[in-house]
Amino acid sequence: MNMLQSSTCAMLLLTAAVLPGSAAMVAAQERAATPVHPPVATTPYRIGNFAVRLRSDTQTLASLRPDADPAFDFVPAGREAERAGDGYVHLGDLHLRLRTPDGEWRDFASARQRRPIRALPLAPGVVAAADITATMGDGIPLTVERQWIDAGGIPVLRFVLANPGTVPVEVGAMGMPMVFDNIITDRSLDEAHAQASFVDPYIGRDAGYLQVTRLNGAGPALLVLPEAGTPLEAWRPIPSEKEAKGQSFTDRSPRGQTSEGFYDWTVASTAYASREWAKADDQWNRPTGFTLAPGERRSFGVRLVQSPTIRAIETTLAANARPVAIGVPGYVVPTDLDASLFVKAPQPIARITVEPADAMTLTRAGEVNGWQRLAVRGTGWGRARVSIGYADGSVQTVSYFVTKPLDRTMADLGRFATTKQWFEGAGDPFGRSPAILTYDNDAKAIVTQEPRVWIAGMSDEGGGGSWVAAMMKQLDHPDAVEVAKLERMVDETVAGRLQVEGGPNDGAVRKSLFYYDPALHPGVYDPAANWTTWTSWSKKDAADLGRAYNYPHVAIGHWVLYRTARNHPGLVTRHDWRWYLDRAYATTVAMMRDAPHYAQFGLMEGDVFLDILRDLKREGMTAQATAMEALMRGRADHWKTLKYPFGSEMAWDSTGQPEVYAWMRYFGHQPQADTTREVILGYDPTIPHWGYNGNARRYWDFLYGGKVPRIERQIHHYGSTLNAVPLFDAFRANPADLHLLRVAYGGLMGGITNIDRDGFSSAAFHAAPDMLKWDTYSGDYGMGLYGHAIAAATYVVNDPTFGWLAYGGNLAQANGALTVSPKDGARSRLFIAPAKAWITLAAGKIASARYVPATGAITLTLDPTDAHTPAARLMVEATAPDALPYRPVRGVPERGGYTIALGRGTTTVELRTGARRKAR
């Protein structure tokens, strides 16, 4: 993301400046400019444990308050007056695209031009009903009735479509606007966390649902469940009128960084697929439509059900007779990994199909505690749709993504970044040679210039992502050729150009090496591009040192080369390990000195500062460690005073939470760490869909790092893996909370899907159904690979429902012992949950591990030595106070761990519990 300026930019759909320094002023201006609207008359109802209000004129939903928290409202009730006019959608509105034989498609929308509705007599259980045909628009060939029903204490919204004519009517598109209070505009962070909600969809046809969760992660959560015949076929963003002029299915509410906008629960979509979505990749589900014969009636509806907590969502689904699917380790499946899909449904499974047919195999593998287990194996590459047909004719779809084995995926990325994205040549006027720059996979070319100058400037997230990805790949998979190039880049381009070297600003980081100055560089800039907006920074603006978000990128470069030099002798040759650790430290100090404003916030990849601090301590660099700890303590003490310390340069963000969590844990502020963990769960779901599972909410960064710059839900932007990091840590501290592991693993593996078969890494996937494809800019992907690289691990757990499972590895059981073969993206980290043993290797790879539950014995088998890894560097941590500490029976204590010589064959290391041996 990049700092918003007050100037407008034609290609960026920004609704307001949200710089922290001016947020109060902007909010005051918005309030002053907001017209005063008369209050909207509403009618109250009591349905189960909800207090419900419907607008008296339109009978659309105006308020939905749970008894568990009567001050909270799932819908934007406080904005009802300002959203009362024509063109504002509400829950209870309807979109239809219809045609009669030999006719053209015509659109009908209940909110576009409001007209009086006709109240209908109430049948038993119906609290409000109306014929809304008149407000759908002139000439509609159907009649439309809407009912609000009390179904045994559950609110139900139901529509009845009827064909009163003499010819059939085809329904090519049908959408029910889902309007919940996701609006952050004009709210403080405390207000937003207390009042606003996020919506995540499971686009699973008849088993689909929405989960509406509060920003603070607290219960209750709201589930929107389909009635029979109301599949969640697609999840269509409702554009603003400015975005889609002349279209019928829009909303007048502005969409921007402070408001994602609303979506249609799309029941039928074939007419979209042939028009608006014609250029998209495959939809999540096959687009369908239906036809109403003369005299035919058909009903559709959704049920509004409370789940007491986010963690209880699946239990609540099962209690409401909904099909539930749980994938282990998730829905991203490397071809060398054994995966499982557990299904629990009220109807027996009649058939299972996969599209494409050669993408993967699912085999019935018995039942476990009432759940059908399906063994899953990837055989292709890319997206795959699993359709589970039930005996009653309903269909559940589960979206998977199949990848190469992760070691090959990492090799592909490293090779692509250091060859296809390698920029070198004399005469670059901006001093970017040698470098790894942003790549446009559509043009098959490096992006050497862009009006959003940072994208071509090696800094900020959109420009620094590619070289950070190449660097982070070396942490777990160092390659001599690649490391040599990265050393050159740091020595010749980062040092002294991107980063100040020497003097009073030593270690400070510039915003961009590329900039716009046609007087200084005549004839350089593409005349067809728009260089007139705030994004085309001048040389002075690009050289600014005050954006703290840029500092972790450079710190990562130094830290990875330090780790590589320290643990893989001979790979790093230009400087010794101490030089790189010193520069990582200098970068940290410079951030606090030269970029203090943004340093008050948690930063994406900010976890690297904690690793730098720990390495300074391990290396005995006491003076530096003491000074750095004091700097970081100042930030943590500030965060401790805040209820929700997750601010950023944006109004709301999902990137600062991981660093906030890390320092809260480090300095012993566990209550604040717990708050952070729950907030993450509020925007990071577990859903049976590779795109949304573990997908930490993001919807504006295509504006700053994507080739298609628009407000749009991003699938597996870098927040997915970054937010997985604290959830993994929280799980290791409390292995009973398996929800944490499932969400974290979804985010960890989601960040791998960005890497294509050639090694190109996309910024994120466009979730809107008119695209459903990867953005062709590499952009800020590297921030995501950072999260994956530091968190990739295999987890062995004893699930109370499913038994022994491995997340990230293949598990075998025999003779009372478990043997796991890691297949994760590192093979250097292993967590044995029952033992609460966190095993990490700074050098060396785990070929397999054996665990005996009855005795607690753990035995590691390590890969043979290679040219740059003569010894393994092993650390074992007990992650909870009640855990017995393990130590290896062999190895030399060193720097907080153990150095274990490796041989030409595999090396076996036995871990035993007992008094921890003091390490030098």
Side-chain angles (χ1 to χ4, degrees):
M1 93 190 94
N2 298 83
M3 190 163 49
L4 304 183
Q5 304 286 342
S6 59
S7 303
T8 59
C9 174
M11 69 177 169
L12 304 185
L13 306 174
L14 305 180
T15 59
V18 290
L19 287 172
S22 62
M25 179 183 69
V26 171
Q29 291 172 343
E30 288 177 347
R31 283 192 294 269
T34 301
V36 177
H37 299 280
V40 175
T42 62
T43 305
Y45 300 91
R46 163 61 55 182
I47 304 178
N49 49 14
F50 285 109
V52 178
R53 285 186 173 270
L54 302 180
R55 276 180 53 173
S56 300
D57 55 349
T58 65
Q59 278 191 10
T60 53
L61 187 64
S63 178
L64 184 68
R65 293 177 181 264
D67 290 349
D69 190 347
F72 172 75
D73 208 311
F74 281 108
V75 301
R79 302 177 187 269
E80 187 65 31
E82 68 188 68
R83 300 189 69 254
D86 290 349
Y88 290 100
V89 296
H90 294 72
L91 195 61
D93 279 315
L94 187 66
H95 294 146
L96 292 173
R97 180 170 292 173
L98 312 174
R99 69 180 174 187
T100 53
D102 301 324
E104 299 293 327
W105 289 115
R106 297 179 60 196
D107 291 347
F108 301 92
S110 61
R112 187 175 188 183
Q113 187 175 1
R114 299 272 182 198
R115 294 178 180 176
I117 61 175
R118 180 170 59 88
L120 296 174
L122 302 182
V126 178
V127 300
D131 184 325
I132 67 169
T133 306
T135 198
M136 294 299 300
D138 292 334
I140 183 170
L142 302 177
T143 62
V144 183
E145 297 177 4
R146 182 184 56 218
Q147 301 170 345
W148 291 96
I149 300 168
D150 182 346
I154 295 174
V156 175
L157 167 63
R158 184 177 298 162
F159 294 95
V160 180
L161 306 186
N163 181 359
T166 59
V167 296
V169 177
E170 183 180 359
V171 181
M174 175 179 172
M176 297 178 289
M178 295 288 116
V179 180
F180 299 102
D181 192 358
N182 62 6
I183 303 170
I184 303 170
T185 308
D186 202 22
R187 282 172 167 165
S188 68
L189 278 178
D190 284 5
E191 291 169 339
H193 281 87
Q195 300 169 10
S197 300
F198 288 141
V199 186
D200 283 296
Y202 169 33
I203 311 169
R205 286 204 60 80
D206 297 312
Y209 62 86
L210 307 179
Q211 60 179 59
V212 187
T213 55
R214 304 174 64 180
L215 266 66
N216 57 20
L222 178 69
L223 300 180
V224 185
L225 309 179
E227 289 205 297
T230 313
L232 182 50
E233 181 169 289
W235 184 236
R236 172 189 171 269
I238 302 174
S240 69
E241 289 183 337
K242 291 183 179 179
E243 293 172 299
K245 291 182 179 179
Q247 292 189 28
S248 303
F249 306 145
T250 61
D251 181 65
R252 289 178 60 189
S253 302
R255 298 173 71 237
Q257 195 274 325
T258 58
S259 182
E260 182 182 355
F262 310 118
Y263 289 77
D264 264 344
W265 177 302
T266 305
V267 176
S269 61
T270 186
Y272 290 136
S274 62
R275 188 186 297 179
E276 292 94 338
W277 306 347
K279 295 181 180 180
D281 280 2
D282 288 343
Q283 297 296 318
W284 299 122
N285 296 297
R286 286 188 176 184
T288 67
F290 58 93
T291 299
L292 290 177
E296 185 178 1
R297 294 168 60 89
R298 186 165 171 180
S299 67
F300 306 85
V302 292
R303 303 164 67 87
L304 307 178
V305 175
Q306 283 191 50
S307 173
T309 65
I310 290 174
R311 289 171 176 80
I313 284 175
E314 287 161 345
T315 302
T316 304
L317 290 170
N320 283 268
R322 306 303 306 152
V324 182
I326 296 177
V328 176
Y331 310 95
V332 178
V333 182
T335 53
D336 62 344
L337 182 72
D338 298 329
S340 297
L341 181 65
F342 297 95
V343 178
K344 187 175 187 178
Q347 294 283 326
I349 297 174
R351 62 195 177 281
I352 301 171
T353 59
V354 177
E355 299 172 274
D358 60 353
M360 58 197 310
T361 61
L362 282 85
T363 307
R364 298 185 191 232
E367 289 193 4
V368 182
N369 291 325
W371 293 72
Q372 174 74 54
R373 178 179 176 265
L374 304 175
V376 179
R377 191 77 184 199
T379 52
W381 187 91
R383 292 170 54 190
R385 178 170 58 238
V386 174
S387 297
I388 303 171
Y390 295 104
D392 64 354
S394 63
V395 176
Q396 174 176 17
T397 57
V398 180
S399 292
Y400 274 92
F401 200 103
V402 182
T403 74
K404 297 179 181 181
L406 295 188
D407 56 349
R408 290 175 56 191
T409 300
M410 292 296 107
D412 291 342
L413 180 141
R415 182 177 58 254
F416 192 99
T418 55
T419 56
K420 297 291 187 181
Q421 294 184 253
W422 184 254
F423 178 79
E424 184 174 6
D428 178 57
F430 306 100
R432 296 172 295 178
S433 176
I436 294 171
L437 299 183
T438 297
Y439 192 81
D440 181 348
N441 204 34
D442 185 28
K444 303 299 181 187
I446 291 172
V447 180
T448 57
Q449 58 176 281
E450 235 275 3
R452 295 166 289 177
V453 296
W454 56 85
I455 288 177
M458 279 191 73
S459 200
D460 272 26
E461 288 69 70
S466 290
W467 72 263
V468 169
M471 192 67 75
M472 286 309 304
K473 181 265 178 185
Q474 310 308 316
L475 183 69
D476 297 319
H477 301 274
D479 176 273
V481 174
E482 295 167 7
V483 168
K485 285 189 169 183
L486 292 169
E487 280 192 274
R488 280 194 59 208
M489 182 188 72
V490 168
D491 229 25
E492 300 172 31
T493 306
V494 173
R497 296 182 186 175
L498 184 62
Q499 183 174 36
V500 177
E501 193 167 29
N505 299 114
D506 180 49
V509 180
R510 297 180 172 91
K511 281 172 38 175
S512 176
L513 287 181
F514 182 66
Y515 52 85
Y516 181 66
D517 191 335
L520 187 61
H521 304 299
V524 168
Y525 303 99
D526 181 1
N530 179 11
W531 301 95
T532 65
T533 74
W534 69 265
T535 67
S536 298
W537 290 335
S538 67
K539 183 177 182 180
K540 178 182 177 182
D541 289 337
D544 182 81
L545 306 176
R547 188 174 185 272
Y549 297 96
N550 293 317
Y551 287 70
H553 314 334
V554 175
I556 283 168
H558 296 311
W559 176 70
V560 170
L561 289 175
Y562 151 73
R563 281 282 183 104
T564 306
R566 196 63 164 115
N567 298 307
H568 300 279
L571 267 182
V572 176
T573 60
R574 289 201 166 208
H575 301 282
D576 64 9
W577 63 263
R578 185 179 295 273
W579 187 90
Y580 288 108
L581 187 55
D582 269 331
R583 294 312 294 165
Y585 167 71
T587 307
T588 311
V589 173
M591 179 184 75
M592 300 302 295
R593 180 191 65 227
D594 296 320
H597 177 73
Y598 289 118
Q600 70 179 293
F601 306 123
L603 308 175
M604 69 287 289
E605 318 129 284
D607 306 61
V608 71
F609 298 125
L610 182 54
D611 277 318
I612 292 168
L613 175 58
R614 285 171 170 161
D615 283 331
L616 289 170
K617 289 185 172 184
R618 291 185 185 110
E619 298 291 0
M621 299 170 70
T622 305
Q624 294 94 324
T626 301
M628 183 175 175
E629 188 169 71
L631 291 173
M632 297 300 107
R633 185 183 293 276
R635 298 171 76 206
D637 287 347
H638 168 65
W639 294 334
K640 186 184 176 184
T641 68
L642 305 176
K643 189 172 184 179
Y644 297 106
F646 314 123
S648 82
E649 58 190 350
M650 296 297 178
W652 174 87
D653 214 334
S654 59
T655 55
Q657 287 84 340
E659 192 193 5
V660 170
Y661 174 91
W663 290 115
M664 293 298 98
R665 285 272 284 161
Y666 180 81
F667 287 115
H669 306 320
Q670 191 60 44
Q672 288 78 13
D674 293 344
T675 295
T676 306
R677 177 196 66 214
E678 295 306 297
V679 163
I680 292 172
L681 294 181
Y683 59 75
D684 201 343
T686 176
I687 284 174
H689 188 298
W690 71 266
Y692 291 90
N693 191 49
N695 184 47
R697 178 170 303 266
R698 204 77 171 168
Y699 55 87
W700 63 85
D701 258 2
F702 281 137
L703 298 178
Y704 309 111
K707 187 170 184 179
V708 180
R710 63 185 189 180
I711 293 293
E712 178 181 12
R713 179 71 67 86
Q714 296 170 280
I715 284 181
H716 296 310
H717 191 245
Y718 60 73
S720 294
T721 53
L722 293 185
N723 282 276
V725 176
L727 297 184
F728 278 128
D729 180 85
F731 172 73
R732 292 193 297 268
N734 179 19
D737 194 348
L738 286 162
H739 181 84
L740 298 172
L741 176 62
R742 290 177 52 206
V743 176
Y745 227 89
L748 179 81
M749 295 301 291
I752 289 299
T753 60
N754 305 56
I755 305 169
D756 75 6
R757 281 173 283 194
D758 298 323
F760 167 78
S761 51
S762 168
F765 187 88
H766 289 270
D770 68 337
M771 284 194 69
L772 288 177
K773 61 183 69 175
W774 295 102
D775 195 87
T776 61
Y777 272 8
S778 54
D780 43 18
Y781 172 69
M783 289 73 239
L785 192 70
Y786 167 83
H788 184 95
I790 66 169
T794 294
Y795 287 75
V796 176
V797 302
N798 190 5
D799 189 289
T801 300
F802 306 130
W804 289 103
L805 300 172
Y807 285 72
N810 293 337
L811 188 68
Q813 302 181 52
N815 302 320
L818 306 170
T819 300
V820 63
S821 301
K823 301 295 181 183
D824 62 78
R827 288 202 300 117
S828 58
R829 304 175 196 94
L830 173 66
F831 184 62
I832 307 294
K836 299 177 183 176
W838 179 225
I839 301 160
T840 61
L841 292 167
K845 297 291 182 185
I846 302 172
S848 65
R850 187 173 185 268
Y851 172 62
V852 182
T855 64
I858 300 174
T859 304
L860 305 178
T861 299
L862 306 182
D863 279 3
T865 184
D866 62 36
H868 299 287
T869 314
R873 290 275 304 118
L874 172 68
M875 284 176 274
V876 186
E877 175 189 348
T879 62
D882 61 344
L884 294 173
Y886 282 81
R887 64 176 178 83
V889 298
R890 55 186 294 196
V892 178
E894 183 182 8
R895 290 184 285 127
Y898 298 88
T899 299
I900 300 169
L902 298 174
R904 297 180 64 181
T906 59
T907 299
T908 300
V909 179
E910 183 181 349
L911 305 180
R912 290 181 182 174
T913 58
R916 190 183 298 275
R917 185 166 56 187
K918 186 175 180 181
R920 294 193 298 271

